[in-house]
Amino acid sequence: MTQPINSLAQKVLTIAKEAGDKIMAIYEKDFAIYEKQDTSPLTEADLAAHNVIVNALEAESDLPILSEESADISWDERKTWSSYWLVDPLDGTKEFIKKNGEFTVNIALIENGKPTMGVVYAPALNKSYVGIVGDGAWTEVDGEFTAISARKHDGAEVWKVVGSRSHQSPEIQNLLAQLDGDTELVAMGSSLKLCLVAEGDAHLYPRLGPTSEWDTGAAHAVALAAGANVTVLDPENPLDDNADALTYNQKESVLNPFFLVSA
């Protein structure tokens, strides 16, 4: 079949898979766990994947890189960037440690505050998501690409809502109560949660907990390319049709506001 993605996206996909190979080599054995300053677990795999991605992107492009593992770049410098690479070498570290397979390599191209291309690779699942805003979104398994698109609720079916495996917050319950009809929780780890909406396997993903920009950038691009929306979520008015789009590198903090992914 004809290759549906452009050469740059293919190169980024190749880089993500190379990082995934490093991750899987560590995943399949016992691994060391260090402590970050925020006490979240940091494994050998994060660092190995980071090094692969940064070295390959620097060889491919002159654009700056913001990675979770090299995030100490000043706002004075970052605010001058119009385009840059946004990287999470291993999203879902806790899923990695649990060995449930639901972790990803995330690489996004951000232009003027918006994700325009993203690759999400789940190495343990041998599945990739590629999104090029304006061109389309695909899953990729063993070199075979399948076009995907977000699927709107048809008004009669059960609402499929992506959420945490743990107890749902009152804010989430408030959102679910506003939906007309029955709801079903779809549990998933890492940036794969956004990809479920992009792929049409869920209608909504409300995020009412902390995330950083590198957690979402790549899957955000996939969601947009698949026809979904990613908007800032107001817990008091969670289904606001006029909500602002989620943006990147527009402020000193790299923390995201609450957001909603919807078909």
Side-chain angles (χ1 to χ4, degrees), residues 36 38 40 66-72 78 84-93 104 106-108 110 115 190-194 205 207-221 230 246-259 261:
K36 293 183 183 178
D38 63 2
S40 61
L66 180 64
S67 168
E68 180 178 13
E69 306 310 336
S70 60
D72 55 345
R78 283 195 293 111
Y84 68 102
W85 296 106
L86 181 60
V87 174
D88 191 342
L90 176 50
D91 182 37
T93 306
T104 57
N106 299 334
I107 306 174
I110 308 294
S190 71
S191 61
L192 292 169
K193 293 189 283 289
L194 289 92
Y205 167 38
R207 180 69 186 202
L208 286 154
T211 57
S212 296
E213 293 182 0
W214 46 71
D215 294 320
T216 57
H220 186 168
V230 184
L246 187 68
T247 57
Y248 294 81
N249 200 42
Q250 301 301 298
K251 60 189 189 309
E252 183 170 3
S253 171
V254 293
L255 292 177
N256 288 322
F258 296 160
F259 62 86
V261 187

